[in-house]
Amino acid sequence: MKRFTLKQMVLSLGAATMLLSSQSVMAQYTKLTALDGMLSYGQSSVSHAEAYDKLVDRKENTKWGGWFDPRLEDDAAWPIDQGASANKMYIIVKAEEAVVPTFYFLVTGNDTGGDPNRSWSSWKIYGGNFDNDEAAVREGEGWTLIDDREGEPLPAENFGHKDLDFNQADGKTAYQYFWIEISDAVGYTDDGVYLQMSEWGLGTYGSFLAYLDYLN
């Protein structure tokens, strides 16, 4: 049987403690509030059942949905032409406190299994810190790219979940504002696709469930 010196045991316990501590920090769920986003065809306000704020409402049984077709020119896209899809799909959210982005999770929509074309495929996430909510605008000054996804595979199932790391973040800078811009969907018809996603959040899916358990 291999024997360890006291020094080796202390170092091993210290490393394990640091690992558990870092995992705990990375897994922490942070409450989010939607500030702005795309209201797609047929939606006039956040009172709509599938408006953008449903993406961060901490409810898996709601979703953000909307007609999306990035192939459209600006002059042929919602809301200019109310008979067309949106060619931009984005949301801007505010965290209850500034956090260093490490992990985030996605939960697919309630009928993704029957129509996986509706899922996101490519997107970017930006982080920022602003003096007030009004300054946190799409394509404004002060955003930093912290995640970039191209053809990302998501679960082709109803309410499927996936944890992802912020693959462009420096692991040190904390942000309070986040802008998500979806650039591609799994698939389109001639009229675009009804893009959807149930939930997005900072932290892991497990931390999200733990947060919901805590509230109950």
Side-chain angles (χ1 to χ4, degrees), residues 70 104 106 119-126 145-154 162 164-165 167-168 181-186 188:
Y104 67 96
L106 286 167
S119 264
W120 303 0
S121 173
S122 301
W123 63 90
K124 289 181 171 64
I125 304 177
Y126 302 83
L145 179 67
I146 55 176
D147 192 65
D148 191 354
R149 300 285 165 175
E150 185 83 24
E152 182 72 34
L154 296 178
K162 186 171 184 177
L164 294 156
D165 65 309
N167 60 24
Q168 301 294 316
E181 183 91 11
I182 299 94
S183 58
D184 204 357
V186 173
Y188 301 101

Side-chain angles (χ1 to χ4, degrees), residues 83-154:
S85 299
N87 62 351
K88 300 175 180 69
M89 197 63 71
Y90 72 95
I91 182 173
I92 296 171
V93 302
K94 180 182 182 181
E96 60 182 344
E97 60 183 357
V99 297
V100 176
T102 50
F103 286 104
Y104 67 96
F105 67 89
L106 286 167
V107 181
T108 62
N110 63 324
D111 56 1
T112 301
D115 193 349
N117 285 340
R118 294 183 170 192
S119 264
W120 303 0
S121 173
S122 301
W123 63 90
K124 289 181 171 64
I125 304 177
Y126 302 83
N129 293 300
F130 302 96
D131 293 335
N132 51 64
D133 296 351
E134 290 71 26
V137 296
R138 180 179 179 273
E139 296 187 327
E141 295 292 330
W143 292 108
T144 299
L145 179 67
I146 55 176
D147 192 65
D148 191 354
R149 300 285 165 175
E150 185 83 24
E152 182 72 34
L154 296 178

Side-chain angles (χ1 to χ4, degrees), residues 3 5 11 19 41 52 54 56 63 68-69 71-72 93 95 100-101 108 113 156 165 181 193 195 198 202 208 216:
R3 297 180 181 276
T5 67
L11 289 173
L19 177 60
Y41 175 65
Y52 60 80
K54 309 307 184 293
V56 293
K63 66 181 179 183
F68 176 59
D69 191 347
R71 301 170 297 182
L72 295 173
V93 302
V100 176
T108 62
D165 65 309
E181 183 91 11
V193 64
L195 197 68
S198 176
L202 295 170
F208 172 61
N216 295 326

